Amino acid sequence: MNATKRAGLVGVTGYTGMELTRLLAGHEGIELVRATSRSEAGKPLSAIYPFLQGTKLAGLTITQPDIADLRENCDIVFLAVPHATAMDMAGQLLDAGARVVDLSADFRLRDPAVYQTWYKHEHSRTDILPQAVYGLVELYREDVRKARLVANPGCYPTSSILALYPALAEGLVETDDIVIDAKSGATGAGRKASLGSLFCEVSDTFRAYNLGKHRHTPEIEQEVSRIVGQDILLSFNTHLLPINRGILSTIYTRLKKGVDPAAVRAAYEKHYAGEAWVRLLPAGALPETRFVRGTMFCDIGLVTDPRTGRLIILSAIDNLCRGASGQALANANLMLGLPENMGLNLAPMVP
């Protein structure tokens, strides 16, 4: 085993930062040596996250973000900072020779014009954009191993792309009539105080939001278009669930003529054979968020409807672990030459 790798985490106070500290507290190959926050600098990490008491991270002092310090003391840096902030920071770190896993959207979209359209901000580091590898390990594992900059996928895209991949790769469904109906827990909105994510606004209700304009739309379209080698336009629709964490995506596609249910299941079994984190559920079983909570699993269920000619694909992930911090850690493991699953063999948080 190689010597323990040193990690920095910029933006420790958000939900993704919190989840990364939970995972790194028990990681055998990576030690968190820098955790940064402008607002909480000077405090021990356990002062803002009491669950770290008794772990190796309890006494780590939060510092101000400092590029030179991060580069000198870290083998890899996680950026859990807002969009438009990450691109310049990632650029400075790469210029200094560091490896970076960016949890924002700043390097997910390969076309800077598309980024500017959806995020209303001009991309300032287009010079390093071609270096960024999209960090969905089931699709880009070998590229991630060689990367210095990984764009960690969004939570909704992770759920949607993994669900669609085998059906599109095997040409089982039409590409012009895909509807994604996705629902997320409230942590997907981030940790900043806002009216829409207050307990009384989320509890005991269920609502749609950002219909037709969710920023994850071009990310999903980009990746599914690459799978089939042609541009795909799809309908992506999001809803807020009255739960803390989890995503359930229900995806409606049209089967091509002559495709039977056995061929569909065989395609998913073929593409996900040997993939420890994608679980194809038995026929008749459907995913639930509670069975993936706190894990890297993506549970997939398949329903073929002969009456309408549709293949309905369901997937469930934990938006914080598989959809963000756990996925970032899997990417970091690969970039550092560690086993992909190190620190990520997690049992679901049930009930």
Side-chain angles (χ1 to χ4, degrees):
M1 180 65 65
N2 295 330
T4 300
K5 305 298 184 179
R6 304 162 301 161
L9 169 55
V10 180
V12 72
T13 57
Y15 285 129
T16 54
M18 178 191 296
E19 184 76 349
L20 258 174
T21 63
R22 177 179 79 89
L23 298 172
L24 288 169
H27 199 287
E28 296 177 356
I30 300 177
E31 181 181 359
L32 184 64
V33 298
R34 292 292 185 274
T36 82
S37 166
R38 298 187 191 280
S39 61
E40 303 292 346
K43 298 179 181 178
L45 200 51
S46 58
I48 64 168
Y49 297 142
F51 65 85
L52 292 174
Q53 291 286 356
T55 74
K56 63 182 180 181
L57 298 183
L60 182 64
T61 299
I62 301 170
T63 60
Q64 293 279 351
D66 182 295
I67 298 297
D69 177 63
L70 290 165
R71 173 63 191 98
E72 182 178 350
N73 292 285
C74 302
D75 299 301
I76 197 161
V77 179
F78 299 97
L79 298 181
V81 295
H83 312 315
T85 301
M87 64 181 76
D88 290 328
M89 189 169 290
Q92 293 176 59
L93 287 163
L94 258 68
D95 291 344
R99 294 184 184 92
V100 175
V101 178
D102 177 25
L103 283 85
S104 84
D106 285 356
F107 294 96
R108 295 174 188 162
L109 298 174
R110 295 178 172 87
D111 186 339
V114 174
Y115 176 88
Q116 184 169 354
T117 297
W118 286 85
Y119 288 88
K120 311 304 180 187
H121 194 282
E122 186 175 356
H123 205 292
S124 62
R125 291 305 305 257
T126 56
D127 57 318
I128 58 173
L129 190 56
Q131 298 180 37
V133 172
Y134 191 71
L136 193 59
V137 295
E138 287 82 3
L139 274 65
Y140 300 110
R141 179 174 285 113
E142 295 311 312
D143 293 329
V144 171
R145 289 187 200 277
K146 298 176 286 187
R148 291 182 57 236
L149 171 61
V150 164
N152 208 58
C155 51
Y156 280 129
T158 297
S159 172
S160 301
I161 296 164
L162 289 175
L164 282 164
Y165 173 47
L168 291 173
E170 296 296 321
L172 302 178
V173 298
E174 303 292 349
T175 60
D176 62 348
D177 186 20
I178 298 173
V179 178
I180 301 173
D181 178 15
K183 303 107 177 156
S184 174
T187 51
R191 205 173 179 215
K192 286 185 177 179
S194 65
L195 178 63
S197 57
L198 294 175
F199 176 81
C200 290
E201 302 297 322
V202 174
S203 180
D204 197 29
T205 190
F206 179 47
R207 68 174 183 268
Y209 69 99
N210 284 349
L211 297 184
K213 57 183 181 181
H214 197 286
R215 288 174 169 178
H216 283 168
T217 304
E219 186 181 337
I220 299 170
E221 290 181 341
Q222 169 184 276
E223 293 305 315
V224 297
S225 295
R226 285 172 64 87
I227 292 168
V228 299
Q230 68 181 64
D231 290 342
I232 290 181
L233 190 72
L234 51 77
S235 178
F236 176 58
N237 308 290
T238 50
H239 304 75
L240 182 64
L241 289 169
I243 61 176
N244 288 342
R245 50 198 294 168
I247 285 177
L248 180 68
S249 297
T250 306
I251 303 174
Y252 303 92
T253 68
R254 282 191 299 114
L255 280 169
K256 290 185 176 179
K257 290 184 179 179
V259 176
D260 66 29
V264 173
R265 176 159 287 274
Y268 279 78
E269 290 173 344
K270 167 188 168 184
H271 280 276
Y272 290 131
E275 293 290 354
W277 292 325
V278 179
R279 302 190 296 195
L280 180 61
L281 301 187
L286 300 178
E288 296 185 39
T289 58
R290 62 176 172 157
F291 297 133
V292 296
R293 190 181 301 133
T295 78
M296 284 290 287
F297 293 125
C298 175
D299 283 359
I300 294 177
L302 303 172
V303 177
T304 51
D305 183 354
R307 189 180 67 85
T308 61
R310 289 198 176 274
L311 168 63
I312 304 169
I313 313 161
L314 299 98
S315 69
I317 66 167
D318 183 306
N319 60 297
L320 290 182
C321 191
R322 179 63 210 242
S325 303
Q327 189 144 256
L329 188 51
N331 285 314
N333 283 340
L334 288 171
M335 295 167 77
L336 295 170
L338 300 171
E340 180 181 314
N341 64 346
M342 181 174 280
L344 291 169
N345 291 323
L346 307 163
M349 296 175 175
V350 291

